[in-house]
Amino acid sequence: MPTSTPIRPGRVSPLRTVPDRITRPPYVGLDEPPAPRLPDVKDAETIDKMRIAGRLAAQALRAAGDAAVPGVTTDHLDRVGHEFLLDHGAYPSTLGYRGFPKSLCASVNEVVCHGIPDDRPLQDGDIVKIDITAFINGVHGDNCATFIVGEAEPQVTELVERTKQAMLRGIKAAMPGRQVNIIGRVIESYARRFGYGVVRDYTGHGIGDAFHSGLVIPHYDAAPLYTDVIEPGMTFTVEPMLNLGTPEWDLWDDGWTAVTKDRQWSAQFENTILITESGPEILTQP
């Protein structure tokens, strides 16, 4: 197990501003987001818009990830992602979603997901999961990657590399005519080779005009549940979280930050994908 001081909540800076010229998602300022207007299978016009949102989200992720070096705070990563999206006419989808106070999630080491950026400096050997989503032209593009800060222990490097591989294998399995539970079956089968815990309670999701639609994409072997049939035109995320230890987690008092119950480290990767007649297409690519 990596040796480091357990992550503790830091100071969270004030809300970042968004100019009026940037269109906000309809949930901003609401306790609950409105129901999605679009079906899971999207039309060609919506898909074109989602390609734009996905590309911007991927570029913003790369910009924030490039800034993840020792001594930099996760609040700084948030500023990088926030300003990148605004500069390109997009709104950072997490800002104000169900009250989330920042423009991306920054989850360090044993934080599984939904870490709130704060004033803790990143340290050599840390890993940070950066999850950022762009809203533009009425649709969202969502992605996440795990970045190694400086030089990590081999066990950690392997976890990161294998989590990315698990995501890609899950995406490859998302073929038209199959049930969505095939994705989790493939991911868990791969993760089990290495004894990793596969987080069950946080899943992939349908995406489009809604940040999260009602479509659920489990990352574990959930059969015979989750039998939605994968169809061309569907857009959803695949975003497995793999842990060095137990898949169980605790929630901080902030209501967002999930940490592994045994405080072993966790990695995550995520892409937004489109299902075509011939298979999946990753929309969140720079």
Side-chain angles (χ1 to χ4, degrees):
M1 176 178 175
T3 57
S4 68
T5 303
I7 302 298
R8 295 287 182 263
R11 185 184 64 83
V12 177
S13 63
L15 288 175
R16 301 191 190 281
T17 59
V18 177
D20 292 340
R21 63 180 172 81
I22 304 292
T23 302
R24 283 122 170 99
Y27 52 73
V28 174
L30 303 178
D31 293 333
E32 292 289 331
R37 294 179 295 104
L38 299 176
D40 288 318
V41 175
K42 308 301 191 295
D43 59 29
E45 180 181 358
T46 301
I47 289 169
D48 287 341
K49 292 178 180 178
M50 292 191 67
R51 285 197 173 97
I52 294 171
R55 184 169 62 252
L56 280 179
Q59 292 170 351
L61 177 64
R62 182 170 60 185
D66 286 346
V69 297
V72 164
T73 66
T74 53
D75 184 72
H76 176 75
L77 304 184
D78 181 74
R79 181 174 65 80
V80 170
H82 179 89
E83 293 181 355
F84 182 95
L85 291 178
L86 297 192
D87 288 346
H88 291 80
Y91 184 93
S93 300
T94 59
L95 185 61
Y97 181 75
R98 297 181 184 269
F100 191 82
K102 288 294 171 183
S103 298
L104 55 77
C105 300
S107 305
V108 178
N109 299 347
E110 72 268 20
V111 180
V112 178
C113 61
H114 302 158
I116 298 175
D118 60 25
D119 65 350
R120 177 193 181 274
L122 294 170
Q123 301 173 16
D124 185 65
D126 281 349
I127 57 173
V128 57
K129 285 78 74 179
I130 300 175
D131 190 339
I132 189 166
T133 308
F135 178 79
I136 190 170
N137 298 325
V139 297
H140 301 267
D142 187 7
N143 62 173
C144 174
T146 301
F147 296 91
I148 297 173
V149 181
E151 185 173 348
E153 297 179 22
Q155 182 186 28
V156 174
T157 300
E158 289 174 350
L159 172 68
V160 172
E161 292 173 348
R162 290 165 178 169
T163 303
K164 183 176 184 179
Q165 182 61 224
M167 176 198 65
L168 292 173
R169 287 173 179 243
I171 290 173
K172 187 176 181 180
M175 297 295 292
R178 292 176 170 176
Q179 296 177 350
V180 297
N181 59 31
I182 185 65
I183 297 169
R185 189 176 314 136
V186 167
I187 288 170
E188 185 168 37
S189 175
Y190 178 72
R192 195 183 300 124
R193 297 186 198 176
F194 314 105
Y196 296 151
V198 181
V199 175
R200 296 185 168 214
D201 301 311
Y202 295 100
T203 68
H205 51 87
I207 188 170
D209 68 311
F211 193 174
H212 300 82
S213 80
L215 180 66
V216 175
I217 309 297
H219 301 120
Y220 63 98
D221 188 352
L225 304 177
Y226 299 101
T227 57
D228 298 89
V229 175
I230 299 170
E231 301 178 56
M234 277 186 167
T235 52
F236 54 82
T237 69
V238 177
E239 47 182 302
M241 304 164 200
L242 304 186
N243 301 347
L244 287 174
T246 178
E248 302 302 319
W249 49 273
D250 295 322
L251 193 67
W252 281 2
D253 291 341
D254 62 23
W256 286 103
T257 306
V259 296
T260 57
K261 189 170 285 292
D262 57 9
R263 304 303 187 261
Q264 294 208 47
W265 288 15
S266 179
Q268 181 190 16
F269 284 84
E270 172 187 17
N271 279 126
T272 296
I273 69 170
L274 162 71
I275 303 302
T276 72
E277 294 287 349
S278 58
E281 173 190 338
I282 296 175
L283 297 181
T284 39
Q285 298 198 84

